[in-house]
Amino acid sequence: MQRPSGRQPDELRETTITRHYTRHAEGSVLISCGGTRVLCNASVEDRVPPFLRGSGEGWVTAEYGMLPRSTGSRMAREAARGKQGGRTLEIQRLIGRSLRAVVDRSALGERTITVDCDVIQADGGTRTASITGAYVALRDACGWLLKHGRIKSDPIHGQVAAVSVGIYDTHPVLDLDYDEDSAAETDMNVVMNDGRAFIEVQGTAEGHAFRRDELDVLLDLADGGIQRLMSLQREALGG
Amino acid sequence: MQRPSGRQPDELRETTITRHYTRHAEGSVLISCGGTRVLCNASVEDRVPPFLRGSGEGWVTAEYGMLPRSTGSRMAREAARGKQGGRTLEIQRLIGRSLRAVVDRSALGERTITVDCDVIQADGGTRTASITGAYVALRDACGWLLKHGRIKSDPIHGQVAAVSVGIYDTHPVLDLDYDEDSAAETDMNVVMNDGRAFIEVQGTAEGHAFRRDELDVLLDLADGGIQRLMSLQREALGG
Amino acid sequence: MQRPSGRQPDELRETTITRHYTRHAEGSVLISCGGTRVLCNASVEDRVPPFLRGSGEGWVTAEYGMLPRSTGSRMAREAARGKQGGRTLEIQRLIGRSLRAVVDRSALGERTITVDCDVIQADGGTRTASITGAYVALRDACGWLLKHGRIKSDPIHGQVAAVSVGIYDTHPVLDLDYDEDSAAETDMNVVMNDGRAFIEVQGTAEGHAFRRDELDVLLDLADGGIQRLMSLQREALGG
Amino acid sequence: MQRPSGRQPDELRETTITRHYTRHAEGSVLISCGGTRVLCNASVEDRVPPFLRGSGEGWVTAEYGMLPRSTGSRMAREAARGKQGGRTLEIQRLIGRSLRAVVDRSALGERTITVDCDVIQADGGTRTASITGAYVALRDACGWLLKHGRIKSDPIHGQVAAVSVGIYDTHPVLDLDYDEDSAAETDMNVVMNDGRAFIEVQGTAEGHAFRRDELDVLLDLADGGIQRLMSLQREALGG
Amino acid sequence: MQRPSGRQPDELRETTITRHYTRHAEGSVLISCGGTRVLCNASVEDRVPPFLRGSGEGWVTAEYGMLPRSTGSRMAREAARGKQGGRTLEIQRLIGRSLRAVVDRSALGERTITVDCDVIQADGGTRTASITGAYVALRDACGWLLKHGRIKSDPIHGQVAAVSVGIYDTHPVLDLDYDEDSAAETDMNVVMNDGRAFIEVQGTAEGHAFRRDELDVLLDLADGGIQRLMSLQREALGG
Amino acid sequence: MQRPSGRQPDELRETTITRHYTRHAEGSVLISCGGTRVLCNASVEDRVPPFLRGSGEGWVTAEYGMLPRSTGSRMAREAARGKQGGRTLEIQRLIGRSLRAVVDRSALGERTITVDCDVIQADGGTRTASITGAYVALRDACGWLLKHGRIKSDPIHGQVAAVSVGIYDTHPVLDLDYDEDSAAETDMNVVMNDGRAFIEVQGTAEGHAFRRDELDVLLDLADGGIQRLMSLQREALGG
């Protein structure tokens, strides 16, 4: 089997994480995974959703969007169509859950951190890149809160990153790009923490269903890839 | 560990599948899984979405809704709010993908089967009950097409059912009801076919992330539960 | 003249009223009028619309919906279309007004009872069946409030039921089913209280306009039918 | 009993009908009933709704709106709120049905006449004034079609007008203005044709339900009022 | 060059301003500029937008709409389409800014004046006619506030009026009607105050771009026209 | 007078134009004007709006959006709010008109070029930066059409660029940044072509109205600034 990109089955795409990418956000990260580029801006606001008012707890959430021409053919702008599609809502709910899994919301106090993940250019794996980048932006926003004395202790108690795996041309491979993704028979997005435990596992059989032994290999590949992504996150964060 | 319902960890709730529940739909199934009751109506229409026009292929899709007082406290009606929420869109996309995984859309011809899954009463596991019930409704709709000479060969090439599993009070359990679900640390929805292969695996860690060995037990539990649900489906279908 | 169903001109369809149909609602009634089946769930909430805040008065309102395949051919789901149609709004306003006509809103206190009328299967007369069923659900919700000591006196001061009448094949008939309704030249929905007075009269000439003498016969038919429906309501309520 | 306006119980408000009120519409009528002023513009378009395409039949429909400050306190603009309310939809459906009751849609051919009824100033009875005015505008639009040779025979086979009646301070009265309407215990809108038959009867008991004998008096009042309105329509139309 | 209307290049259309046109609004003005007729209703409300609450300042805003058949062919009703178009939003923002330029919002206190500009009949220049008419309605609403003792000093510190100018058939002309506007190569809307200073200048080259010398002539024409419109405003206001 | 940035009154911010910024669009340009960064992606599609079908003419249009945290405090995402605001619609209509002023739509044939202008970071002047950048992206998209033989002759017959001018602290200045813009008394956006003629002039007096002599100076400043921006466009385009 030959991957379109010539990569090994367990090889990540070249991934870079750039902090302080824009000027206004409390955390601003551009993550590039091969041809996929996502801008992750974390914003701190001193308000919480109604169900948390008076609780002393904060909230962490995410929004996701694709620029209309981030893709091969132009997609209609969701703002112009008047609603966010099902895929968008599904992805931003996933990103939000993944981030909340490593945050102590009591330590955050009654404020909200919203991480906007906007896809500048898409080449497969935009949702997992969003999670990996959003973690770094969230880290910076919490650093900002600590530095400005708004909170006393760090609300982040773990590290989170994500990657896709799938079966391409009958072989399990790591970190699918668009060419592989659109041809893949099975696609799985895996979100893990730095304790090597799973936060989310979302596997979908596009073509044929996957056997248990295939699932096992895919999870191994994801585990390895996420270890390396976490190293890159730590490097970017300067430690 | 004691489950609130007194069930064994690997014990399904009492599940019944009633066909021909309403009069107009080509397939109409009421599925009850404990206190969860979902009406699954399959409708045949002689048209396909734009992207399939002229292709000779058909389409299978699903819509999902909860009656406003199917739940403990009344939820706002989505039709009155003017849009379907993210959870609704996510669930109906999942049901549609699960059904399409066992359908040969060429054999269906250029027509659409829409399965409406409406929750009459909710007690956890509405999305997996929807899939298990929708399969039977889809079966009946295809039987109707065959009987009326609209299609020559059966477009369904597999059987599909779904169940939830999760970690409740540190123990893996099968088929969570609402009391367990709202307290669960980890929740996973599993969709499988009759070849014991996975069509969808969606695991979410609400509280703590789950280890690989926990994941393995959960998948075993799901596998066993789905075998039994498939027996119930076959019984309901008369063989 | 022969009615399609073989009924006498002044004969109601077989009508059954089942209380406690679902588990969560404070009042939950399934009403069947021939092939028409409507689930009426009454929900109590401790809030009122803005225009009543601080007034000491409560509110009674209704929402109406049809399951997409409650009808002969599938209707688009209103939640998916993003708005409720004119017919839906018109019907739910009618149900709400009819119920409020027998309620002392001061005795209710600052709370809202919403009755959701969801059509499971349609065969004509869904709006009048909704009113007749909703009254029983409302009764049960008020019983619940009394039993739990939330209110001191019964806010319901009258009984309400409704039926359709129309001119089919030149003859006035009671309680039209779908076959009659779609062929009827004139259609009238009548809502009355137990004092034999009118709460709503809505007559529409689809084909030819109706003369005053025809109107008189139709109102007589409605009066008789509603007397019998009120007996069925009282029976269901155990008195 | 003394009516706020000093009118007799069976006395209409001063009513004037002005044709050719604006320049562009094929029929343009301003109707004033006391303080109520409605502009009724009939527009001819060479297209029909999808369900009539290829049928050879035409369509007649209506839209209704109130200028934001046609009323005592400013109402939010429906275009700004992003949807038409239930009352608006209910009224425009009523106007449309009333007009279609006197039109032979085959003689109209495959074209649509839309009558826009926009309330410039409201003082009760806007929906019945709309119907009475819309009939004249429709007449003019059909005259335009005949004069320009677009149709051969007149599609209008009857005359239609409408008025409100109600019980004010225990007495039945004709043509309620806003002061009476907001205090009325019962309100009924009646639409009749020139054969003295009923096209629509919509009675609503706001306060107490109305007895059969009250209903009879109200219908008599309406009948008399509508006769006079039809005279005014004929006068305005120059015959 | 001959203008379609036979007017001189610097000649306004016949313009009339009628106050107290409807009964409910605190200021109600019908302005006619040739065939263009706009009803401008100013409403006073004792509330301000959220960003001004507690500031002691008031707000002045405008809404704009066209009746569906104010134009040569019927336009879809914005309330029915479910949103206001870009042109509508642009125009109502312009009217609001123009009015606020002559208002001392502190003197107004925490209340809002909304001027609804509804086009009854359109023949070009509806946005400038709206501004010229809205000023008079705003004047009357402020007079009402003074007369009823709600405010102590007049919040209006200047006069505002507007006109369109453009290049028609290569010649600069004042106050374009629809025939000229649809053929014009360049169109400019100019809003000025009584100090002969500019509040808004909005020039758009439909056909060819306009040279600086053309711009200078257009601004001179606008200046002259606005002087005369301000005389008409003062006359209407009885001074 | 000292500008916050220390610039001379007639000094542009540092402006860079980067072509081929993303991979998929037929023209992709990042324009930076000081702290303002806008991504302009031009997409070619083989279809035209309904009003142009069969006309042989093409269409050029624009859409505009701001990333939620492109600004100092986070703005709600328009896709999540369900509609584009008035400011957004106004800006994208302006960009579209400006581009169409230099395009021969017959030479384009029946295809549409949509330029998406998405603001990555905002520091004043985003609409004028969008126009200046969009022109270069449009140029590249037309180059792509020529190179691929889709069109025979270049549809672009002129060059277009835009800049803002305003009165800051009583002095006319060129190219306002956010600090100046929010304090400016008068703000004007000017769009010109390479014949030094005006395509759009939009001046708004926020604080005091501007006199004719001030207007003259502002237009001179804009003219000079646009000459320099056009040099930068030509440089970027390699000539």
Side-chain angles (χ1 to χ4, degrees):
Chain A
M1 192 250 350
Q2 176 74 34
R3 298 180 72 170
S5 60
R7 281 187 283 147
Q8 294 301 311
D10 64 349
E11 189 179 345
L12 284 179
R13 290 181 283 178
E14 185 178 337
T15 297
T16 61
I17 295 172
T18 308
R19 289 163 69 205
H20 313 305
Y21 189 74
T22 62
R23 118 179 359 169
H24 300 299
E26 284 75 30
S28 179
V29 166
L30 183 82
I31 183 164
S32 299
C33 302
T36 289
R37 280 149 63 182
V38 185
L39 175 52
C40 307
N41 278 338
S43 297
V44 175
E45 290 169 299
D46 283 330
R47 53 181 185 72
V48 287
F51 69 93
L52 287 177
R53 280 179 202 149
S55 71
E57 291 196 8
W59 189 239
V60 173
T61 187
E63 293 195 6
Y64 172 91
M66 300 185 84
L67 293 192
R69 196 55 195 282
S70 58
T71 45
S73 57
R74 188 178 182 270
M75 298 184 311
R77 187 177 289 264
E78 289 188 324
R81 288 175 49 215
K83 64 174 178 179
Q84 296 178 296
R87 179 183 170 275
T88 294
L89 294 174
E90 197 171 311
I91 291 174
Q92 65 192 20
R93 284 159 54 93
L94 169 66
I95 302 170
R97 283 196 309 268
S98 298
L99 297 176
R100 285 192 298 275
V102 295
V103 171
D104 172 1
R105 297 194 286 105
S106 302
L108 188 56
E110 280 202 27
R111 50 181 60 85
T112 296
I113 302 180
T114 303
V115 187
D116 287 289
C117 298
D118 284 280
V119 179
I120 304 296
Q121 188 174 282
D123 187 23
T126 63
R127 79 185 71 187
T128 49
S130 293
I131 292 168
T132 303
Y135 168 76
V136 180
L138 176 66
R139 256 281 26 119
D140 274 340
C142 289
W144 182 91
L145 282 167
L146 284 164
K147 186 177 145 195
H148 288 76
R150 305 279 194 90
I151 55 177
K152 300 249 168 73
S153 64
D154 189 350
I156 299 186
H157 57 63
Q159 188 176 350
V160 61
V163 80
S164 75
V165 287
I167 296 180
Y168 173 75
D169 192 13
T170 77
H171 290 72
V173 294
L174 175 69
D175 192 17
L176 289 74
D177 57 30
Y178 179 78
D179 285 342
E180 291 171 328
D181 191 35
S182 50
E185 292 144 353
T186 289
D187 181 29
M188 183 175 289
N189 294 296
V190 181
V191 186
M192 297 179 78
N193 67 16
D194 51 345
R196 294 185 62 183
F198 298 95
I199 291 173
E200 292 264 348
V201 174
Q202 296 197 342
T204 298
E206 303 280 341
H208 79 193
F210 46 105
R211 298 183 313 270
R212 180 69 174 269
D213 61 314
E214 290 172 325
L215 176 60
D216 288 338
V217 178
L218 290 173
L219 292 173
D220 289 340
L221 278 176
D223 184 13
I226 286 172
Q227 302 299 317
R228 272 164 281 151
L229 288 168
M230 286 189 172
S231 297
L232 292 171
Q233 286 176 327
R234 283 187 297 261
E235 257 174 57
L237 286 162
Chain B
M1 190 246 357
Q2 176 74 35
R3 299 180 72 168
S5 60
R7 281 186 284 148
Q8 294 301 311
D10 65 348
E11 189 180 345
L12 285 180
R13 290 181 282 179
E14 186 179 335
T15 298
T16 60
I17 295 172
T18 307
R19 290 161 69 203
H20 312 305
Y21 188 73
T22 63
R23 130 185 339 179
H24 299 299
E26 283 75 30
S28 179
V29 166
L30 184 82
I31 183 164
S32 298
C33 301
T36 289
R37 280 150 60 183
V38 186
L39 175 52
C40 307
N41 278 339
S43 297
V44 175
E45 290 169 299
D46 283 330
R47 53 182 183 70
V48 287
F51 69 92
L52 287 177
R53 280 180 202 146
S55 70
E57 291 195 8
W59 190 240
V60 173
T61 187
E63 294 195 5
Y64 172 91
M66 299 186 85
L67 294 193
R69 196 57 195 281
S70 58
T71 46
S73 57
R74 185 176 185 273
M75 300 183 309
R77 188 178 287 266
E78 290 188 323
R81 290 176 48 217
K83 64 173 178 178
Q84 297 177 294
R87 180 184 170 275
T88 294
L89 294 174
E90 198 171 310
I91 291 175
Q92 66 193 19
R93 285 159 54 94
L94 169 65
I95 302 170
R97 284 197 308 268
S98 298
L99 297 176
R100 285 193 296 275
V102 296
V103 171
D104 172 0
R105 298 196 283 104
S106 301
L108 187 56
E110 280 201 27
R111 50 181 61 84
T112 296
I113 300 180
T114 303
V115 188
D116 287 288
C117 298
D118 284 279
V119 178
I120 305 295
Q121 190 174 278
D123 187 24
T126 62
R127 80 186 71 188
T128 48
S130 293
I131 293 168
T132 304
Y135 168 76
V136 180
L138 177 66
R139 254 287 20 124
D140 274 340
C142 289
W144 182 90
L145 282 167
L146 283 164
K147 184 176 146 197
H148 287 77
R150 304 281 195 89
I151 54 175
K152 299 251 166 74
S153 63
D154 189 350
I156 300 186
H157 57 65
Q159 189 176 349
V160 62
V163 80
S164 76
V165 287
I167 296 180
Y168 172 76
D169 192 14
T170 76
H171 291 71
V173 295
L174 176 69
D175 192 16
L176 288 75
D177 57 30
Y178 179 77
D179 285 341
E180 292 171 327
D181 191 35
S182 50
E185 293 144 352
T186 289
D187 181 29
M188 183 176 289
N189 294 295
V190 181
V191 186
M192 297 179 77
N193 67 16
D194 52 345
R196 296 186 62 183
F198 298 95
I199 290 172
E200 291 265 347
V201 175
Q202 295 197 341
T204 299
E206 304 280 340
H208 79 195
F210 46 105
R211 299 183 312 272
R212 179 69 175 266
D213 60 314
E214 290 172 325
L215 175 61
D216 287 339
V217 177
L218 290 173
L219 292 173
D220 289 339
L221 278 175
D223 185 14
I226 286 174
Q227 303 297 319
R228 271 164 282 152
L229 288 169
M230 286 189 173
S231 296
L232 291 170
Q233 287 176 326
R234 282 187 298 258
E235 259 174 55
L237 286 163
Chain C
M1 193 253 344
Q2 176 72 37
R3 298 181 73 170
S5 59
R7 281 187 283 147
Q8 294 301 311
D10 65 349
E11 189 180 343
L12 285 179
R13 290 181 283 181
E14 186 179 337
T15 297
T16 61
I17 295 173
T18 308
R19 289 162 69 204
H20 313 303
Y21 189 74
T22 63
R23 127 184 345 177
H24 300 298
E26 284 74 32
S28 178
V29 166
L30 184 81
I31 182 164
S32 298
C33 301
T36 288
R37 280 150 61 184
V38 185
L39 174 53
C40 307
N41 278 338
S43 297
V44 175
E45 290 170 299
D46 283 330
R47 53 182 184 71
V48 286
F51 68 92
L52 287 176
R53 281 179 203 148
S55 70
E57 292 195 8
W59 189 239
V60 173
T61 187
E63 294 196 5
Y64 171 91
M66 300 185 85
L67 294 193
R69 196 56 195 281
S70 58
T71 46
S73 57
R74 186 177 184 272
M75 298 184 311
R77 187 178 288 266
E78 289 188 325
R81 289 174 49 214
K83 63 173 179 179
Q84 297 178 293
R87 178 184 171 276
T88 294
L89 294 174
E90 198 171 309
I91 291 175
Q92 65 192 20
R93 283 158 56 92
L94 169 66
I95 302 170
R97 284 196 309 268
S98 299
L99 297 176
R100 285 193 296 275
V102 296
V103 171
D104 172 3
R105 298 194 286 104
S106 301
L108 187 56
E110 280 202 26
R111 50 181 61 84
T112 296
I113 301 181
T114 303
V115 188
D116 287 288
C117 298
D118 285 279
V119 179
I120 305 295
Q121 190 175 279
D123 187 23
T126 62
R127 79 185 72 188
T128 50
S130 294
I131 291 169
T132 304
Y135 169 75
V136 180
L138 177 66
R139 257 277 30 116
D140 275 340
C142 288
W144 181 91
L145 281 167
L146 283 164
K147 185 178 146 197
H148 288 77
R150 304 280 194 89
I151 56 177
K152 299 249 168 74
S153 63
D154 189 350
I156 300 186
H157 57 64
Q159 188 175 349
V160 61
V163 79
S164 75
V165 286
I167 295 180
Y168 173 74
D169 193 14
T170 76
H171 290 71
V173 295
L174 176 69
D175 192 18
L176 289 75
D177 56 30
Y178 179 78
D179 284 343
E180 291 171 328
D181 192 35
S182 51
E185 292 144 351
T186 291
D187 181 29
M188 183 175 289
N189 295 295
V190 180
V191 186
M192 296 178 77
N193 67 16
D194 50 347
R196 295 185 63 184
F198 298 95
I199 291 172
E200 291 265 347
V201 175
Q202 295 197 341
T204 298
E206 303 281 339
H208 79 195
F210 45 106
R211 299 182 313 270
R212 181 68 175 268
D213 61 313
E214 290 172 326
L215 175 61
D216 288 337
V217 178
L218 290 173
L219 292 173
D220 289 340
L221 278 175
D223 185 13
I226 287 173
Q227 302 297 318
R228 272 164 280 153
L229 289 167
M230 286 189 172
S231 297
L232 292 171
Q233 287 176 327
R234 283 188 297 261
E235 259 173 56
L237 286 163
Chain D
M1 190 249 353
Q2 175 75 33
R3 300 181 71 170
S5 59
R7 280 187 284 149
Q8 294 301 311
D10 64 348
E11 190 179 343
L12 286 179
R13 291 180 281 179
E14 187 180 334
T15 296
T16 60
I17 296 172
T18 308
R19 290 161 69 204
H20 312 305
Y21 189 74
T22 62
R23 131 186 338 180
H24 300 298
E26 283 75 31
S28 178
V29 165
L30 184 82
I31 183 164
S32 299
C33 301
T36 288
R37 279 150 62 183
V38 186
L39 175 53
C40 307
N41 279 337
S43 297
V44 175
E45 289 169 299
D46 283 329
R47 53 182 183 72
V48 287
F51 67 93
L52 287 177
R53 280 180 202 146
S55 71
E57 291 195 7
W59 190 238
V60 173
T61 186
E63 294 196 4
Y64 172 91
M66 298 185 86
L67 293 193
R69 195 56 195 282
S70 58
T71 46
S73 58
R74 186 176 183 273
M75 300 182 310
R77 188 177 288 266
E78 289 189 324
R81 290 174 48 216
K83 64 173 176 177
Q84 297 177 295
R87 178 183 171 277
T88 295
L89 294 174
E90 197 170 310
I91 291 175
Q92 65 193 21
R93 284 160 54 94
L94 168 66
I95 304 170
R97 284 197 307 268
S98 299
L99 298 176
R100 285 193 296 275
V102 295
V103 172
D104 172 0
R105 298 195 286 103
S106 301
L108 188 55
E110 280 200 28
R111 49 180 61 85
T112 295
I113 300 180
T114 303
V115 187
D116 287 287
C117 298
D118 285 278
V119 179
I120 304 295
Q121 189 174 279
D123 186 24
T126 62
R127 79 186 71 187
T128 48
S130 293
I131 292 168
T132 304
Y135 168 75
V136 180
L138 177 66
R139 253 291 16 126
D140 273 341
C142 289
W144 182 91
L145 282 167
L146 283 164
K147 184 177 146 196
H148 288 77
R150 303 280 195 90
I151 54 176
K152 300 250 168 72
S153 61
D154 189 349
I156 300 186
H157 57 64
Q159 188 175 350
V160 61
V163 81
S164 75
V165 288
I167 295 180
Y168 172 76
D169 192 15
T170 76
H171 290 69
V173 294
L174 175 69
D175 192 16
L176 289 74
D177 57 30
Y178 179 77
D179 285 342
E180 293 171 328
D181 191 35
S182 51
E185 293 144 351
T186 290
D187 181 28
M188 184 175 289
N189 294 295
V190 181
V191 186
M192 297 179 77
N193 67 16
D194 50 347
R196 296 185 61 184
F198 298 96
I199 290 171
E200 293 265 347
V201 175
Q202 296 197 341
T204 298
E206 303 281 339
H208 79 194
F210 44 106
R211 299 184 312 272
R212 180 68 174 268
D213 60 314
E214 290 171 327
L215 175 61
D216 287 339
V217 177
L218 290 173
L219 292 172
D220 289 339
L221 278 175
D223 184 13
I226 287 173
Q227 302 298 318
R228 272 163 282 153
L229 289 167
M230 286 189 173
S231 295
L232 292 170
Q233 287 176 326
R234 282 186 299 260
E235 259 172 55
L237 286 162
Chain E
M1 193 253 345
Q2 176 74 34
R3 298 181 73 170
S5 60
R7 281 187 283 150
Q8 294 301 311
D10 65 348
E11 188 180 345
L12 285 179
R13 289 181 284 179
E14 186 178 336
T15 297
T16 61
I17 295 173
T18 308
R19 289 163 69 204
H20 313 304
Y21 189 73
T22 63
R23 121 179 356 171
H24 300 298
E26 284 75 31
S28 179
V29 166
L30 184 82
I31 183 165
S32 298
C33 300
T36 288
R37 281 150 60 184
V38 185
L39 174 53
C40 305
N41 278 339
S43 297
V44 174
E45 290 169 298
D46 282 331
R47 54 182 183 70
V48 286
F51 68 92
L52 287 176
R53 281 179 202 147
S55 70
E57 292 196 8
W59 190 238
V60 174
T61 187
E63 294 195 5
Y64 172 91
M66 300 184 85
L67 294 193
R69 195 55 195 281
S70 58
T71 45
S73 56
R74 186 177 184 271
M75 299 183 310
R77 187 177 289 265
E78 288 188 325
R81 290 175 48 215
K83 64 173 178 178
Q84 297 178 293
R87 179 183 170 276
T88 294
L89 294 174
E90 198 170 311
I91 290 175
Q92 65 192 20
R93 284 158 55 94
L94 169 65
I95 302 170
R97 284 197 308 269
S98 298
L99 298 176
R100 285 193 297 276
V102 296
V103 171
D104 172 0
R105 298 195 285 104
S106 303
L108 187 56
E110 279 202 26
R111 50 181 61 85
T112 296
I113 301 181
T114 303
V115 188
D116 287 288
C117 299
D118 285 278
V119 178
I120 304 296
Q121 188 174 280
D123 186 24
T126 63
R127 80 185 70 188
T128 49
S130 294
I131 292 168
T132 303
Y135 168 76
V136 179
L138 176 67
R139 257 279 28 119
D140 274 339
C142 289
W144 182 91
L145 282 166
L146 284 164
K147 185 178 146 195
H148 288 77
R150 305 280 194 89
I151 56 177
K152 299 250 167 73
S153 63
D154 189 350
I156 300 186
H157 57 64
Q159 188 176 350
V160 61
V163 80
S164 75
V165 287
I167 296 181
Y168 172 76
D169 192 15
T170 76
H171 291 72
V173 295
L174 175 69
D175 192 17
L176 288 73
D177 57 30
Y178 179 78
D179 285 342
E180 291 171 329
D181 191 35
S182 50
E185 291 144 354
T186 290
D187 181 29
M188 183 175 287
N189 294 296
V190 180
V191 187
M192 297 179 77
N193 67 16
D194 51 346
R196 295 185 64 183
F198 298 96
I199 290 171
E200 291 265 347
V201 174
Q202 296 197 341
T204 299
E206 303 281 340
H208 79 194
F210 46 105
R211 298 183 313 271
R212 180 69 174 268
D213 60 314
E214 290 171 326
L215 175 60
D216 288 338
V217 177
L218 290 173
L219 292 173
D220 289 339
L221 278 175
D223 184 13
I226 287 173
Q227 302 298 317
R228 273 163 281 153
L229 289 168
M230 287 189 172
S231 297
L232 291 170
Q233 287 175 325
R234 283 187 298 260
E235 259 174 56
L237 286 162
Chain F
M1 191 248 351
Q2 176 73 35
R3 300 181 70 169
S5 59
R7 280 185 285 147
Q8 295 302 310
D10 65 347
E11 189 180 344
L12 285 179
R13 290 181 282 180
E14 187 180 337
T15 298
T16 60
I17 295 172
T18 308
R19 290 162 68 203
H20 313 304
Y21 189 73
T22 62
R23 128 187 341 179
H24 300 298
E26 283 75 29
S28 178
V29 165
L30 184 81
I31 182 164
S32 299
C33 301
T36 288
R37 280 150 62 182
V38 185
L39 175 52
C40 307
N41 278 339
S43 297
V44 176
E45 290 170 299
D46 282 331
R47 52 182 184 71
V48 286
F51 68 92
L52 286 177
R53 280 179 203 148
S55 70
E57 290 195 9
W59 190 239
V60 173
T61 187
E63 294 195 4
Y64 172 91
M66 299 185 85
L67 293 193
R69 196 56 194 281
S70 58
T71 46
S73 56
R74 186 177 184 270
M75 299 183 311
R77 188 177 288 265
E78 289 189 324
R81 290 175 47 216
K83 64 175 178 176
Q84 297 178 293
R87 179 184 170 276
T88 295
L89 294 174
E90 198 170 311
I91 292 175
Q92 64 193 20
R93 285 158 54 93
L94 169 65
I95 303 170
R97 283 196 308 268
S98 299
L99 297 176
R100 284 193 297 276
V102 295
V103 171
D104 172 1
R105 298 194 286 104
S106 302
L108 187 55
E110 280 202 26
R111 50 180 61 85
T112 295
I113 300 180
T114 303
V115 187
D116 288 287
C117 298
D118 285 278
V119 178
I120 304 296
Q121 188 174 278
D123 186 24
T126 63
R127 80 186 70 188
T128 48
S130 294
I131 292 167
T132 304
Y135 168 76
V136 179
L138 177 66
R139 254 285 23 122
D140 274 340
C142 289
W144 182 91
L145 282 167
L146 283 164
K147 185 178 146 196
H148 288 77
R150 303 281 195 89
I151 54 177
K152 301 249 167 73
S153 63
D154 189 350
I156 299 186
H157 57 64
Q159 190 176 348
V160 61
V163 80
S164 75
V165 288
I167 296 180
Y168 173 76
D169 191 15
T170 76
H171 290 71
V173 294
L174 175 69
D175 192 17
L176 288 73
D177 57 30
Y178 179 78
D179 285 342
E180 292 171 328
D181 191 35
S182 51
E185 293 144 350
T186 290
D187 182 29
M188 184 175 288
N189 294 295
V190 180
V191 186
M192 296 179 78
N193 67 16
D194 51 345
R196 296 185 62 183
F198 298 96
I199 291 172
E200 292 264 346
V201 174
Q202 296 197 340
T204 299
E206 304 281 340
H208 79 195
F210 46 105
R211 298 182 313 271
R212 180 69 174 267
D213 61 314
E214 290 171 327
L215 176 60
D216 288 339
V217 177
L218 290 173
L219 292 173
D220 290 340
L221 278 175
D223 184 15
I226 287 173
Q227 303 297 318
R228 272 163 281 152
L229 289 168
M230 286 189 173
S231 296
L232 292 170
Q233 288 176 326
R234 283 186 297 261
E235 259 174 56
L237 286 162

